[in-house]
Amino acid sequence: MVDRLVTIMSRLRDPATGCEWDTQQSFQTIAPYTIEEAYEVADAIDRNDMADLKDELGDLLLQVVFHARMAEEAGHFDLTDVVTAICDKMERRHPHIFGDGSDGPHLWEQIKAKERDAKGAASALDGVALGLPALMRAEKLQKRAGRVGFDWPDAYGPRAKIDEEIAEVEAAMTHDEREEEIGDLLFAVVNWARKLDVDPEAAVRVANAKFERRFRSMEDASGAKLSSMSLDDQEALWQAVKHNERK
Protein backbone atom coordinates (compact mmCIF):
# COMPACT_ATOMS: atom_id res chain seq x y z
CA MET A 1 0.00 0.00 0.00
CA VAL A 2 2.92 2.34 0.59
CA ASP A 3 3.92 1.75 -3.05
CA ARG A 4 0.51 3.11 -4.05
CA LEU A 5 1.16 6.29 -2.05
CA VAL A 6 4.62 6.63 -3.60
CA THR A 7 3.06 6.35 -7.07
CA ILE A 8 0.44 8.97 -6.21
CA MET A 9 3.12 11.39 -5.01
CA SER A 10 5.16 10.74 -8.14
CA ARG A 11 2.21 11.68 -10.31
CA LEU A 12 1.43 14.76 -8.21
CA ARG A 13 5.03 15.95 -8.56
CA ASP A 14 5.27 15.27 -12.30
CA PRO A 15 6.41 18.61 -13.80
CA ALA A 16 4.34 18.10 -16.96
CA THR A 17 1.11 16.48 -15.77
CA GLY A 18 1.18 16.84 -12.00
CA CYS A 19 -0.64 19.12 -9.56
CA GLU A 20 0.43 22.74 -9.90
CA TRP A 21 0.57 23.24 -6.13
CA ASP A 22 2.51 20.05 -5.39
CA THR A 23 5.11 20.68 -8.09
CA GLN A 24 5.90 24.12 -6.68
CA GLN A 25 6.67 22.91 -3.15
CA SER A 26 10.11 22.58 -1.54
CA PHE A 27 11.48 21.15 1.70
CA GLN A 28 11.12 24.60 3.26
CA THR A 29 7.50 25.13 2.24
CA ILE A 30 6.42 21.63 3.26
CA ALA A 31 8.20 21.60 6.65
CA PRO A 32 5.46 23.63 8.44
CA TYR A 33 2.84 21.13 7.24
CA THR A 34 4.97 18.27 8.54
CA ILE A 35 5.11 19.87 11.98
CA GLU A 36 1.38 20.60 11.90
CA GLU A 37 0.55 17.00 11.00
CA ALA A 38 2.69 15.69 13.87
CA TYR A 39 0.73 17.89 16.27
CA GLU A 40 -2.56 16.68 14.82
CA VAL A 41 -1.44 13.11 15.51
CA ALA A 42 -0.72 14.09 19.12
CA ASP A 43 -4.10 15.82 19.36
CA ALA A 44 -5.94 12.71 18.16
CA ILE A 45 -4.07 10.66 20.77
CA ASP A 46 -4.98 13.14 23.51
CA ARG A 47 -8.64 12.87 22.48
CA ASN A 48 -8.39 9.06 22.27
CA ASP A 49 -9.99 9.31 18.81
CA MET A 50 -8.73 6.23 17.01
CA ALA A 51 -10.57 6.98 13.76
CA ASP A 52 -9.01 10.44 13.66
CA LEU A 53 -5.63 9.01 14.65
CA LYS A 54 -5.75 6.67 11.65
CA ASP A 55 -6.39 9.63 9.33
CA GLU A 56 -3.75 11.83 10.94
CA LEU A 57 -1.11 9.10 10.76
CA GLY A 58 -1.88 8.84 7.07
CA ASP A 59 -1.41 12.59 6.69
CA LEU A 60 1.91 12.35 8.53
CA LEU A 61 3.01 9.44 6.34
CA LEU A 62 2.21 11.56 3.30
CA GLN A 63 4.66 14.16 4.60
CA VAL A 64 7.43 11.56 4.78
CA VAL A 65 6.69 10.41 1.24
CA PHE A 66 6.56 14.02 0.03
CA HIS A 67 9.98 14.86 1.47
CA ALA A 68 11.47 11.60 0.19
CA ARG A 69 10.11 12.29 -3.31
CA MET A 70 11.65 15.76 -3.39
CA ALA A 71 14.97 14.33 -2.19
CA GLU A 72 14.82 11.66 -4.89
CA GLU A 73 14.21 14.30 -7.56
CA ALA A 74 17.28 16.19 -6.33
CA GLY A 75 19.40 13.02 -6.36
CA HIS A 76 19.89 12.82 -2.59
CA PHE A 77 17.97 9.72 -1.48
CA ASP A 78 14.60 8.02 -1.89
CA LEU A 79 12.00 6.44 0.39
CA THR A 80 13.79 3.09 0.34
CA ASP A 81 16.90 4.81 1.70
CA VAL A 82 14.80 6.44 4.43
CA VAL A 83 13.32 3.12 5.50
CA THR A 84 16.68 1.37 5.33
CA ALA A 85 18.30 4.08 7.47
CA ILE A 86 15.70 3.85 10.24
CA CYS A 87 15.79 0.04 10.19
CA ASP A 88 19.58 0.08 10.50
CA LYS A 89 19.35 2.64 13.30
CA MET A 90 16.79 0.69 15.32
CA GLU A 91 18.79 -2.52 15.03
CA ARG A 92 22.00 -0.70 15.93
CA ARG A 93 20.44 0.92 18.98
CA HIS A 94 18.96 -2.36 20.24
CA PRO A 95 21.96 -4.72 20.21
CA HIS A 96 20.42 -6.76 23.05
CA ILE A 97 17.50 -7.58 20.74
CA PHE A 98 19.08 -7.77 17.30
CA GLY A 99 22.67 -8.61 18.27
CA ASP A 100 24.12 -11.62 20.01
CA GLY A 101 22.42 -10.74 23.29
CA SER A 102 25.67 -9.97 25.11
CA ASP A 103 24.90 -6.26 25.54
CA GLY A 104 22.61 -4.96 28.24
CA PRO A 105 19.23 -3.43 27.48
CA HIS A 106 19.93 0.14 28.58
CA LEU A 107 22.40 1.33 25.94
CA TRP A 108 20.17 3.64 23.87
CA GLU A 109 21.66 6.93 25.06
CA GLN A 110 25.23 5.62 25.02
CA ILE A 111 24.82 4.42 21.45
CA LYS A 112 23.27 7.74 20.40
CA ALA A 113 26.23 9.55 21.98
CA LYS A 114 28.66 7.37 20.00
CA GLU A 115 26.72 8.14 16.83
CA ARG A 116 27.01 11.88 17.51
CA ASP A 117 30.75 11.47 18.11
CA ALA A 118 31.08 9.60 14.82
CA LYS A 119 29.40 12.53 13.07
CA GLY A 120 31.96 14.88 14.60
CA ALA A 121 29.63 16.53 17.11
CA ALA A 122 31.61 19.19 18.94
CA SER A 123 29.12 19.81 21.74
CA ALA A 124 26.89 17.73 23.97
CA LEU A 125 24.09 19.98 22.70
CA ASP A 126 24.62 19.17 19.01
CA GLY A 127 21.63 17.59 17.30
CA VAL A 128 18.89 19.22 19.37
CA ALA A 129 16.68 20.42 16.52
CA LEU A 130 16.03 24.15 16.24
CA GLY A 131 12.54 23.45 14.93
CA LEU A 132 11.31 21.85 18.15
CA PRO A 133 8.70 23.68 20.24
CA ALA A 134 10.55 25.97 22.64
CA LEU A 135 9.56 24.15 25.85
CA MET A 136 10.47 20.77 24.39
CA ARG A 137 13.80 22.07 23.12
CA ALA A 138 14.57 23.62 26.52
CA GLU A 139 13.99 20.26 28.19
CA LYS A 140 16.21 18.45 25.69
CA LEU A 141 19.00 21.00 26.08
CA GLN A 142 18.84 20.61 29.86
CA LYS A 143 18.94 16.82 29.62
CA ARG A 144 21.95 16.96 27.30
CA ALA A 145 23.79 19.29 29.68
CA GLY A 146 22.86 16.97 32.54
CA ARG A 147 24.62 14.04 30.88
CA VAL A 148 27.96 15.75 31.38
CA GLY A 149 27.13 16.70 34.97
CA PHE A 150 25.82 20.24 34.47
CA ASP A 151 22.54 19.79 36.31
CA TRP A 152 20.83 20.37 39.63
CA PRO A 153 20.99 17.30 41.88
CA ASP A 154 17.32 17.66 42.84
CA ALA A 155 14.22 19.85 42.38
CA TYR A 156 15.21 22.41 45.02
CA GLY A 157 17.77 24.13 42.82
CA PRO A 158 15.49 24.94 39.89
CA ARG A 159 12.68 25.88 42.29
CA ALA A 160 14.90 28.49 43.93
CA LYS A 161 15.98 29.64 40.48
CA ILE A 162 12.35 30.40 39.63
CA ASP A 163 12.13 32.89 42.53
CA GLU A 164 15.40 34.46 41.36
CA GLU A 165 14.13 34.81 37.79
CA ILE A 166 10.79 36.30 38.91
CA ALA A 167 12.70 38.98 40.80
CA GLU A 168 14.75 39.71 37.69
CA VAL A 169 11.60 40.03 35.57
CA GLU A 170 10.18 42.52 38.08
CA ALA A 171 13.46 44.47 38.08
CA ALA A 172 13.69 44.67 34.29
CA MET A 173 13.43 48.20 32.95
CA THR A 174 12.88 47.73 29.21
CA HIS A 175 10.80 45.48 26.98
CA ASP A 176 13.91 43.67 25.74
CA GLU A 177 15.07 43.06 29.31
CA ARG A 178 11.64 41.75 30.31
CA GLU A 179 11.55 39.46 27.29
CA GLU A 180 14.95 38.04 28.15
CA GLU A 181 14.14 37.57 31.84
CA ILE A 182 10.76 35.95 31.13
CA GLY A 183 12.58 33.58 28.81
CA ASP A 184 14.94 32.72 31.66
CA LEU A 185 11.94 32.24 33.94
CA LEU A 186 10.25 29.83 31.53
CA PHE A 187 13.53 27.96 31.12
CA ALA A 188 13.75 27.59 34.90
CA VAL A 189 10.14 26.33 35.06
CA VAL A 190 10.99 23.70 32.45
CA ASN A 191 13.96 22.65 34.57
CA TRP A 192 11.78 22.33 37.66
CA ALA A 193 9.18 20.34 35.75
CA ARG A 194 11.91 18.02 34.48
CA LYS A 195 13.13 17.41 38.01
CA LEU A 196 9.56 16.61 39.07
CA ASP A 197 9.32 14.13 36.18
CA VAL A 198 6.69 16.24 34.42
CA ASP A 199 6.73 16.76 30.65
CA PRO A 200 6.40 20.57 30.36
CA GLU A 201 5.07 20.49 26.80
CA ALA A 202 2.38 17.98 27.76
CA ALA A 203 1.57 19.95 30.91
CA VAL A 204 0.97 23.14 28.91
CA ARG A 205 -1.21 21.23 26.43
CA VAL A 206 -3.33 20.04 29.35
CA ALA A 207 -3.51 23.58 30.73
CA ASN A 208 -4.54 24.91 27.31
CA ALA A 209 -7.29 22.32 27.01
CA LYS A 210 -8.52 23.04 30.52
CA PHE A 211 -8.63 26.79 29.90
CA GLU A 212 -10.45 26.33 26.61
CA ARG A 213 -12.99 23.98 28.18
CA ARG A 214 -13.70 26.30 31.08
CA PHE A 215 -13.84 29.44 28.96
CA ARG A 216 -16.33 27.84 26.57
CA SER A 217 -18.42 26.85 29.58
CA MET A 218 -18.35 30.47 30.71
CA GLU A 219 -19.56 31.57 27.29
CA ASP A 220 -22.39 29.03 27.40
CA ALA A 221 -23.38 30.00 30.95
CA SER A 222 -23.39 33.72 30.15
CA GLY A 223 -25.73 33.31 27.19
CA ALA A 224 -23.23 34.92 24.81
CA LYS A 225 -23.08 38.03 27.02
CA LEU A 226 -19.62 37.45 28.43
CA SER A 227 -18.13 40.58 26.84
CA SER A 228 -20.69 42.81 28.56
CA MET A 229 -19.95 41.45 32.03
CA SER A 230 -17.60 43.17 34.46
CA LEU A 231 -14.29 41.50 35.23
CA ASP A 232 -15.53 40.69 38.75
CA ASP A 233 -18.61 38.98 37.34
CA GLN A 234 -16.48 37.10 34.83
CA GLU A 235 -14.19 35.91 37.63
CA ALA A 236 -17.21 34.77 39.66
CA LEU A 237 -18.47 32.84 36.66
CA TRP A 238 -15.03 31.31 36.14
CA GLN A 239 -14.98 30.11 39.75
CA ALA A 240 -18.49 28.69 39.34
CA VAL A 241 -17.41 26.75 36.27
CA LYS A 242 -14.40 25.37 38.15
CA HIS A 243 -16.62 24.37 41.06
CA ASN A 244 -19.06 22.58 38.76
CA GLU A 245 -16.19 20.63 37.16
CA ARG A 246 -15.17 19.27 40.54
CA LYS A 247 -18.61 17.99 41.46
Side-chain angles (χ1 to χ4, degrees):
M1 296 303 290
V2 175
D3 289 342
R4 180 184 172 195
L5 183 57
V6 170
T7 300
I8 290 171
M9 181 53 63
S10 177
R11 290 188 62 181
L12 290 172
R13 288 280 297 178
D14 188 290
T17 61
C19 169
E20 181 180 358
W21 186 88
D22 289 277
T23 57
Q24 293 177 352
Q25 301 312 305
S26 66
F27 295 114
Q28 290 74 22
T29 62
I30 290 298
Y33 295 100
T34 307
I35 295 169
E36 180 181 345
E37 295 300 348
Y39 276 112
E40 290 182 359
V41 167
D43 179 64
I45 292 170
D46 286 342
R47 292 183 285 104
N48 195 31
D49 188 333
M50 292 298 105
D52 203 17
L53 177 59
K54 177 191 67 177
D55 290 342
E56 298 302 344
L57 286 171
D59 290 343
L60 185 57
L61 178 59
L62 175 64
Q63 297 298 306
V64 175
V65 173
F66 207 142
H67 284 286
R69 177 62 192 181
M70 291 186 291
E72 183 179 0
E73 293 167 358
H76 300 309
F77 56 83
D78 61 16
L79 185 63
T80 298
D81 297 320
V82 173
V83 175
T84 298
I86 188 58
C87 288
D88 290 347
K89 182 186 293 184
M90 295 305 291
E91 290 176 351
R92 185 172 64 249
R93 291 183 178 178
H94 295 84
H96 59 297
I97 302 296
F98 300 104
D100 60 11
S102 60
D103 293 309
H106 304 298
L107 299 176
W108 179 274
E109 293 300 338
Q110 295 95 312
I111 293 170
K112 286 178 65 177
K114 289 180 180 178
E115 290 172 357
R116 288 194 295 272
D117 290 341
K119 291 180 179 178
S123 168
L125 306 181
D126 284 354
V128 180
L130 290 171
L132 289 172
L135 291 180
M136 187 182 298
R137 190 164 193 270
E139 182 185 25
K140 286 184 175 293
L141 290 171
Q142 292 167 5
K143 285 182 176 179
R144 288 287 188 87
R147 289 175 195 162
V148 297
F150 190 67
D151 198 6
W152 299 102
D154 50 44
Y156 295 105
R159 176 61 186 87
K161 190 69 174 176
I162 289 172
D163 291 334
E164 177 185 327
E165 297 298 348
I166 290 174
E168 291 182 3
V169 171
E170 293 174 337
M173 302 297 292
T174 68
H175 175 271
D176 288 347
E177 289 176 352
R178 284 190 290 272
E179 182 178 63
E180 180 179 350
E181 298 302 343
I182 287 177
D184 291 345
L185 172 60
L186 292 172
F187 194 84
V189 170
V190 169
N191 219 350
W192 191 33
R194 184 172 61 87
K195 285 299 183 180
L196 296 176
D197 199 26
V198 172
D199 179 343
E201 192 75 27
V204 173
R205 285 202 302 271
V206 171
N208 288 342
K210 180 168 62 177
F211 177 83
E212 183 177 9
R213 183 179 65 250
R214 289 176 176 176
F215 189 84
R216 289 179 184 276
S217 294
M218 288 174 63
E219 290 177 318
D220 292 341
S222 70
K225 297 178 180 178
L226 193 60
S227 61
S228 63
M229 296 173 62
S230 68
L231 182 57
D232 287 342
D233 288 341
Q234 288 179 345
E235 174 62 20
L237 185 55
W238 174 266
Q239 294 299 330
V241 166
K242 287 177 60 177
H243 179 73
N244 288 336
E245 275 192 358
R246 293 170 180 156
K247 285 183 178 179

